[in-house]
Amino acid sequence: MNVSEIGLNMYQAMNFFRGDAEGVYQSDEIYICNKFLFNTAESFNASAIVQNDRYVLAASCRIDNREKLASELKIKGPLKASDHEYILAAYTFYQNDCVKHLIGDFAFVVWDKQQKALFMARDHLGVKPLFYTCQQNLILFSSDLNAFLHLPFIDLSYKKSYVAGLLHGSYILKYLNVKHTCYHDIYRLEPSHYLFYFNERVQITKYWELKPCFPEKPVDAALVYREFYQLFFEAVRCRLRGIESFGVGLELSGGLDSSTIACMANEVLSAKKTLFENLYSFSLVQSDEGRVLAEKEIVEEEHIQNQLLDSFGFNKKNIFKLNRHPFTNYQDELQETIRVHGGLNKQNTTWQNAIYEAMQSAGCRVKLSGFSGDELVTDYGTRWMYDIWYSCRPARVMKELLKFDIAVYKSLYRYLQGRLFGFKMNKASIAKEIDSDFLKAERLKDLPAKEYGIDVKSYKHFMISRIMRPFTSLRFESENLHALRANSECRYPMADIRLLEYMIQLPAEMFRPGDVKRNFIRKSLQSILPAYVICRDDKTAAVIPYRKLKNKVFINQLLKDGLPADMESNMVDTKKILERLKTPENLKRETDVISLLTAAYLVKTEHQYHLR
């Protein structure tokens, strides 16, 4: 197959996504197809293929620092220029260093027609996906794994190490390098990395990382709160771009993260009340059946949602309450995960499909999510004192010790224990991991190397490792792949790197819990948050309020379908599945249920795939 045939094959594999515009550039050396949505007002002005005399660009993007770039790059018609044009101008001027000047969500490739070289880059946290493989002296790339699946020379056997990690209880924490997919030769470009391909050689470079900071001098708390407020205002404002042309939806759970985004969106739009007709709210709520089943475990949040929406004067027809899981069969759900992701995938966000279907029916194109707030911006702050022990400044350490507070001594003991002997899970956590481990014991050798873990040598290291862990970028990837099928996208104000870089420089004392946890953001945004949001500290339910009902239905299906006692599997411990099904009432964690259902699905479908 020549370049054009391969490109056309990949293009046809992506026909499920129509987009609003598409263009193709091809030559003897390259085939580039760019499909994209008109999800900002400026995107309506984008050419199908953006290029200049030397470079050709394809991108999925939203650039947030347009004003600064327009000044630096002298962009013509800066208010109307598309984000694609901003990226191309930045690459033309800065070359590979362009990514150091871009703020926003992006995955893009640039073809150098003169040098015959390819550059590709992914945003700082990996909101936009980008995959690549080197085959037959070519580099193939796509924002979706499905584009590779109908090429006859691609090895589509599943990696044993990937399946082993999928079945192992502590997979997310210890056995994952986000670079790897379920296929042997197809890789993700990692977040905050760029790739340069020239003369059949690949060079990958990391261009950004969060670095811990331990300031010695105290700060003006009032000034910090004001500066954070302005940064958060800007993070939400940038992600409301395009609301004049299409709808923007708030994923409103009633928790702190979604509530603060809703309140700030209200502030941003307050000067232009007419725009509220394009603002929507989508909430997952408990059904009556689910409420009875959940009993005391549920934290009811619908009243918080209602209070917020009433205070904003929200248009009733723009409020969507969703109380049913989009799938009624666990095999259908897992098959949908594989279909959307282009193969096996640890991260499963099929529950978001209910929101995307509602968005599509309402004509809403963008969803604002509070995800990744817990990972840094709204962290609970319980480990704040670790920074004091880590930086080990005698005067500061003695000041804490002389308080004769038992909590201080406990913190120091836990810190020293962790530094000397490593961070270890408690017995209850270990038991939970064992419960969700369905890997055959003899297959432990197939596990990949332990490449990832939470770093707790300081509070700042802990926050950085949580926001940068594979779980975060895989969640972004999964949500956006699902959203794409509804011609929509997800935006994450809590993942704005300007917020993250600002917060990581602050003294740890700023995050010290007060009467309620997550004290920092409550104080920073107290001027816009209602009292019932500021004072509330009872949020313990998962983001899917009807999960317990769904889990019970799915487990009952598995019990009804049965699993032959003599069924054998290459990777799965089938005896463990049967043992766990004897006490389904003990399957309380969402991750336990997902692991069990995934293991059962793999046993039943193992004949359909090849492991290598």
Side-chain angles (χ1 to χ4, degrees), residues 240-257:
L240 285 170
R241 276 179 60 205
I243 193 171
E244 301 91 344
S245 308
F246 52 81
V248 171
L250 305 172
E251 185 183 350
L252 184 59
S253 71
L256 181 62
D257 295 334

Side-chain angles (χ1 to χ4, degrees), residues 276-283 302-321 362:
F276 274 94
E277 65 189 37
N278 285 342
L279 191 64
Y280 296 80
S281 168
F282 301 93
S283 300
E302 199 169 350
H303 70 288
I304 300 289
Q305 301 163 12
N306 293 337
Q307 282 180 277
L308 283 170
L309 295 173
D310 288 344
S311 68
F312 300 154
F314 228 83
N315 191 331
K316 298 296 183 184
K317 71 179 181 64
N318 288 2
I319 299 175
F320 291 81
K321 300 291 184 74

Side-chain angles (χ1 to χ4, degrees), residues 337-478:
T337 297
I338 291 171
R339 184 178 75 90
V340 170
H341 293 86
L344 285 175
N345 194 280
K346 178 63 178 178
Q347 208 23 254
N348 178 344
T349 59
T350 49
W351 47 271
Q352 289 273 343
N353 284 17
I355 294 178
Y356 300 135
E357 290 170 7
M359 288 172 61
Q360 198 164 27
S361 68
C364 177
R365 282 293 187 91
V366 168
K367 182 193 73 170
L368 299 190
S369 169
F371 174 65
S372 81
D374 291 359
E375 277 67 22
L376 198 155
V377 176
T378 58
D379 179 72
Y380 281 75
T382 52
R383 289 179 171 85
W384 73 274
M385 204 170 285
Y386 281 19
D387 277 15
I388 293 173
W389 314 133
Y390 177 81
S391 55
C392 201
R393 297 187 182 110
R396 187 69 182 88
V397 170
M398 289 304 300
K399 181 179 178 181
E400 289 299 323
L401 293 177
L402 290 174
K403 290 179 179 178
F404 301 105
D405 186 339
I406 189 65
V408 172
Y409 298 119
K410 284 183 177 180
S411 170
L412 179 58
Y413 173 76
R414 286 193 299 268
Y415 178 78
L416 292 175
Q417 186 181 45
R419 291 302 302 270
L420 290 172
F421 305 109
F423 177 73
K424 296 180 180 179
M425 293 187 292
N426 58 38
K427 290 182 179 179
S429 297
I430 293 172
K432 288 176 181 178
E433 292 295 350
I434 293 172
D435 277 347
S436 61
D437 188 348
F438 294 95
L439 178 67
K440 274 188 172 181
E442 62 267 29
R443 285 297 183 185
L444 287 170
K445 61 182 174 59
D446 292 313
L447 281 172
K450 294 186 179 182
E451 296 175 316
Y452 177 78
I454 297 291
D455 187 349
V456 292
K457 61 175 171 271
S458 79
Y459 177 53
K460 297 294 179 60
H461 285 92
F462 169 76
M463 289 203 293
I464 290 170
S465 64
R466 286 191 75 214
I467 192 69
M468 299 307 298
R469 63 181 171 164
F471 169 77
T472 307
S473 62
L474 288 178
R475 168 76 177 269
F476 290 143
E477 176 186 305
S478 182

Side-chain angles (χ1 to χ4, degrees), residues 331-342:
Q331 294 193 65
D332 290 344
E333 182 186 40
L334 288 166
Q335 285 168 358
E336 173 71 358
T337 297
I338 291 171
R339 184 178 75 90
V340 170
H341 293 86

Side-chain angles (χ1 to χ4, degrees), residues 117 158 263 317 416 534:
Y158 285 145
C263 290
K317 71 179 181 64
L416 292 175
I534 292 177

